[in-house]
Amino acid sequence: LGVDQCIQKFLDVARQTECFFLQKRLHLSVQKPELVIKEDVSELKNELQRKEALIQKHLGKLRHWQQVLEDMNVQHKKPAEMPQGPLAYLEQASANIPAPMKQT
């Protein structure tokens, strides 16, 4: 029972404190509205910076995974392009030799 009373008292004091600060903020907004606007603008700027950093982080991850996928595509294409077997080296080398020119 004592713990419940302490918790209830704490919550009551927290509500009173919140009410006090809300009243002070209301008085301040009436007396100096530019301060409230400056605070709101500052909060919005901070939120934009946080979101921009998050976007950059996700773009970095996206680039990384695109590179991983590209590397996987290159690896899968390589074996198909290169001949395999005991004469693979000769086949590849002979493919690079230009055809002889015909003389007329």
Side-chain angles (χ1 to χ4, degrees):
L1 189 66
V3 173
D4 288 338
Q5 287 177 345
C6 288
I7 291 173
Q8 189 60 43
K9 185 176 180 182
F10 174 79
L11 291 174
D12 290 340
V13 171
R15 285 188 198 105
Q16 290 173 0
T17 304
E18 183 181 16
C19 183
F20 170 78
F21 282 111
L22 286 174
Q23 287 175 349
K24 290 295 181 183
R25 184 171 172 88
L26 178 64
H27 290 301
L28 184 64
S29 68
V30 170
Q31 293 172 355
K32 296 187 177 182
E34 68 276 1
L35 292 179
V36 176
I37 293 172
K38 284 181 183 178
E39 182 181 0
D40 289 344
V41 167
S42 175
E43 287 177 7
L44 289 172
K45 283 181 182 178
N46 289 337
E47 185 177 352
L48 283 174
Q49 289 173 346
R50 182 184 62 80
K51 288 183 178 182
E52 185 65 32
L54 190 61
I55 288 170
Q56 293 303 320
K57 177 182 171 186
H58 286 297
L59 284 175
K61 287 182 179 181
L62 180 64
R63 285 187 201 107
H64 168 74
W65 286 111
Q66 285 175 332
Q67 185 62 44
V68 168
L69 287 173
E70 184 66 29
D71 292 345
M72 287 177 63
N73 286 338
V74 168
Q75 287 177 355
H76 286 311
K77 287 180 182 177
K78 255 186 179 176
E81 292 172 359
M82 292 188 161
Q84 296 189 2
L87 300 176
Y89 177 75
L90 291 175
E91 291 173 6
Q92 184 181 5
S94 64
N96 294 331
I97 297 174
M101 306 217 18
K102 292 183 180 180
Q103 294 183 357
T104 57

